Amino acid sequence: RSIFIRNMNPSPSPVWVNDVHSRLNRTRVADVISPQTLAALSEAVRFASEKKLSISASGSRHAMGGQQFAKDGILLDLRQLKQVIHFDRETGLLRVEAGIQWPELISYYQSVQLQDANPWGIAQKQTGADTFTLGGSLSANVHGRGLSLAPFIQDIEAFTLVKADREIVSCSRRENADLFALAIGGYGLFGVVADLTLRLVPRRRLERVVEIVGA
């Protein structure tokens, strides 16, 4: 539901939400808002602040530690923020909105690189299910299948954060570096992730070699 269509009026009756995996955290919230633009996200934060309502953010609600919701607060469902903003095919930097899910991201970069001799791809396969949002992956600092690879933070170049006071902040290892380190793995405590820039790696074709050894 668009916050502008609904004129920012809370639902007349409480809404119940839950996580996907454990389903052990059924929580009553005042309303669920699904912003479709950065401006709408900022407006939703302003609305919650004026109404003195707590804010929680969710993507696909797959957090394995249990998705956390603010009781009687506003839940921001970010899955409609799923556009690709920019793909630099020279450097492999891909900027996307926070609500895009891994299959959508992979499908995008594969489709635009069909004719490229040296295509880019994600550094590692995310663990477990596929339908995680990139913003949620950042907020939980997820890990992948590669045991020798660092968690998701190593693949993030920068991100945009909407803070509780509606300030829109750009974060990277050079700009607002403290907030960069805190928000990755911060589970939304430091603001709502609006978009992020992912550092892709050159795709390599591997050959699997199997040798049968006698007992």
Side-chain angles (χ1 to χ4, degrees):
R1 293 173 292 176
S2 166
I3 60 174
F4 294 116
I5 292 174
R6 293 173 47 251
N7 295 318
M8 306 302 296
N9 292 318
S11 173
S13 58
V15 180
W16 291 90
V17 295
N18 210 336
D19 68 283
V20 171
H21 280 162
S22 69
R23 303 196 64 79
L24 294 176
N25 195 28
R26 186 171 182 262
T27 304
R28 183 186 67 202
V29 297
D31 207 352
V32 178
I33 296 176
S34 300
Q36 299 182 21
T37 64
L38 176 59
L41 173 57
S42 178
E43 183 67 10
V45 172
R46 180 199 63 78
F47 168 74
S49 176
E50 288 183 352
K51 298 294 183 180
K52 295 182 169 40
L53 294 170
S54 298
I55 297 174
S56 58
S58 74
S60 300
R61 306 182 194 176
H62 274 288
M64 292 185 179
Q67 178 75 45
Q68 298 303 306
F69 307 103
K71 182 180 179 182
D72 295 326
I74 294 294
L75 175 63
L76 297 177
D77 183 339
L78 302 180
R79 286 175 292 181
Q80 296 305 309
L81 280 170
K82 56 182 180 180
Q83 300 302 311
V84 174
I85 299 172
H86 180 66
F87 183 21
D88 187 333
R89 286 153 72 176
E90 293 295 323
T91 63
L93 295 179
L94 176 58
R95 185 179 181 186
V96 295
E97 292 180 332
I100 195 171
Q101 297 183 14
W102 286 95
E104 297 169 331
L105 177 137
I106 294 170
S107 177
Y108 167 80
Y109 71 62
Q110 287 180 336
S111 67
V112 300
Q113 297 184 103
L114 290 176
Q115 306 303 320
D116 291 5
N118 299 297
W120 300 91
I122 56 174
Q124 57 180 318
K125 166 69 171 68
Q126 66 282 6
T127 189
D130 287 327
T131 53
F132 306 139
T133 62
L134 271 291
S137 297
L138 182 155
S139 296
N141 193 21
V142 298
H143 60 86
R145 295 293 190 189
L147 299 181
S148 64
L149 299 175
F152 192 40
I153 188 171
Q154 80 166 3
D155 305 324
I156 298 173
E157 182 74 13
F159 58 87
T160 302
L161 201 68
V162 181
K163 296 171 62 178
D165 60 2
R166 292 184 66 203
E167 182 184 4
I168 299 174
V169 182
S170 297
C171 301
S172 69
R173 290 172 177 80
R174 298 168 297 281
E175 186 177 9
N176 297 304
D178 290 345
L179 194 54
F180 179 89
L182 290 169
I184 299 179
Y187 285 87
L189 292 175
F190 301 94
V192 181
V193 179
D195 65 61
L196 63 147
T197 300
L198 190 64
R199 187 187 301 123
L200 302 181
V201 298
R203 291 178 65 187
R204 294 178 293 173
R205 185 181 298 274
L206 302 179
E207 179 183 1
R208 183 178 183 182
V209 178
V210 178
E211 181 180 356
I212 300 176
V213 180

